[in-house]
Amino acid sequence: MPSISYKIFSTVLARTPLKFNIFVLYFRRFKELPNLKMPTTFNEKIQYRKIHDRNPLLTIMADKLASKIYVQEKTDSVYIPRVLWEGISLESLYHEKLPSNFVIKANHGSQTNLFIKDNQLPPLHELEKLRQKWFSHDQARVLGEWAYANIPRKIFIEEFMEFEGSVPDDYKFFVFHGKVKLVQFDVGRFTNHQRSILDPEWNEYDLEYSYPKVTPLPPKPFFLDEMILAAEKIAEDIDFARVDLYWFDQKVTFGEITLYPGAGFEKFPDIFYDELFGSFW
């Protein structure tokens, strides 16, 4: 839960010019200023994208609803979780015939998920309060992530993916100029979060990227090459995107497209890796 001081800081900073905003946040995180004239590191290039990249495709990819349609048009080899309902007013939601388990999401930002199980839908006033909280969050202003600025805000219901009571492993593919160069493998996200960074052949880098490495690292998944092909197809029309996938019911399944990983503020243990990630872009 963000502190009151952070909320005040974010509100004030959101009213400042974008470049100044980025300089302040970057310095607050790394205790140095980014080189935005000749960026070399991955984090610097994400900041550069925030300021300069206005490709309309970014908005489509960032929109959790529009991105589903986009991926469906790009490839038929990926399962896309079904949307059961979408809208702005939540009152009609209580008259819909919904399954026992589902997920309520907002389409315009991150960390806007509410899991509903056994038909335990909260009262309308509680859900409306949550909707207002989600809709008031503006990643474009607070973090400078332009892609979110023009997304028409909606609430939607997505089918619940049953993984036998466990959290699915995440496979996140860093696609640079149409080619997967790095694979981020996350396990135990809500219990014992571990993360490994690998090359497309499943060779692990000696790198702790915000979390401890996955131990023990499992063998290369038999479906990894299929995932790589899907990620490259999805991101082939852009210079960089991280395509998040997982394996569900014997199918490559779409999660989301991430355009500003960590908002460009992920700390690497060594500048070497920040520059390595950046060298692919």
Side-chain angles (χ1 to χ4, degrees):
M1 181 71 68
S3 65
I4 295 177
S5 61
Y6 177 78
K7 290 181 179 178
I8 295 173
F9 172 78
S10 299
T11 301
V12 172
L13 200 61
R15 301 177 185 276
T16 64
L18 174 58
K19 195 170 182 178
F20 178 80
N21 177 318
I22 287 173
F23 274 125
V24 171
L25 289 175
Y26 197 93
F27 186 82
R28 184 172 183 262
R29 179 64 168 161
F30 299 111
K31 301 301 182 287
E32 64 181 21
L33 295 176
N35 182 348
L36 297 181
K37 291 185 177 180
M38 297 184 64
T40 58
T41 70
F42 185 60
N43 282 317
E44 286 175 338
K45 290 184 179 182
I46 291 175
Q47 308 309 328
Y48 185 90
R49 164 176 275 185
K50 290 179 183 180
I51 296 171
H52 297 286
D53 195 343
R54 299 295 179 262
N55 185 343
L57 187 54
L58 296 179
T59 298
I60 295 172
M61 288 181 162
D63 185 329
K64 286 182 170 59
L65 286 170
S67 63
K68 288 176 181 287
I69 299 171
Y70 177 78
V71 171
Q72 189 173 39
E73 292 173 347
K74 292 295 292 183
T75 176
D76 58 5
S77 66
V78 175
Y79 180 74
I80 301 171
R82 292 178 297 122
V83 174
L84 308 177
W85 176 92
E86 63 178 85
I88 299 175
S89 172
L90 294 173
E91 188 171 355
S92 64
L93 178 59
Y94 289 80
H95 305 291
E96 296 289 328
K97 290 184 178 180
L98 297 169
S100 298
N101 301 329
F102 54 89
V103 188
I104 303 177
K105 296 185 174 184
N107 70 321
H108 72 287
S110 59
Q111 299 180 343
T112 54
N113 304 316
L114 178 64
F115 292 87
I116 304 297
K117 293 188 177 182
D118 302 321
N119 289 311
Q120 297 300 308
L121 193 64
L124 177 59
H125 72 276
E126 291 185 12
L127 206 54
E128 177 61 26
K129 185 176 180 180
L130 181 63
R131 184 191 72 84
Q132 291 177 3
K133 178 182 177 182
W134 284 353
F135 277 22
S136 67
H137 179 66
D138 190 341
Q139 285 188 219
R141 288 178 56 196
V142 175
L143 295 173
E145 297 179 351
W146 172 85
Y148 294 96
N150 301 309
I151 296 176
R153 298 183 181 188
K154 290 184 178 180
I155 299 293
F156 68 100
I157 303 296
E158 189 176 87
E159 67 171 307
F160 178 77
M161 315 295 282
E162 180 57 62
F163 286 88
E164 300 178 354
S166 63
V167 177
D169 296 338
D170 271 0
Y171 299 84
K172 303 176 185 294
F173 298 89
F174 290 70
V175 188
F176 298 91
H177 308 283
K179 291 295 180 181
V180 169
K181 297 295 186 180
L182 299 159
V183 181
Q184 178 180 313
F185 177 53
D186 286 82
V187 302
R189 283 177 295 132
F190 303 120
T191 53
N192 180 29
H193 196 160
Q194 297 179 322
R195 172 181 293 167
S196 286
I197 302 295
L198 309 105
D199 69 16
E201 298 301 320
W202 205 246
N203 299 306
E204 188 176 21
Y205 285 95
D206 185 18
L207 164 66
E208 286 194 357
Y209 189 43
S210 297
Y211 295 95
K213 292 191 294 182
V214 178
T215 306
L217 182 70
K220 177 181 175 180
F222 70 90
F223 50 78
L224 185 69
D225 291 342
E226 183 181 353
M227 281 187 165
I228 288 174
L229 288 175
E232 291 179 344
K233 186 65 179 175
I234 290 168
E236 66 181 357
D237 297 324
I238 199 168
D239 55 358
F240 165 73
R242 196 189 76 199
V243 180
D244 300 353
L245 305 171
Y246 48 96
W247 184 252
F248 171 74
D249 196 22
Q250 302 302 306
K251 296 186 287 287
V252 174
T253 302
F254 176 63
E256 63 182 13
I257 301 171
T258 301
L259 300 167
Y260 312 94
F265 302 123
E266 290 277 16
K267 281 189 176 180
F268 291 86
D270 191 294
I271 188 65
F272 169 82
Y273 289 105
D274 202 352
E275 291 176 341
L276 175 67
F277 278 47
S279 70
F280 297 122
W281 191 352

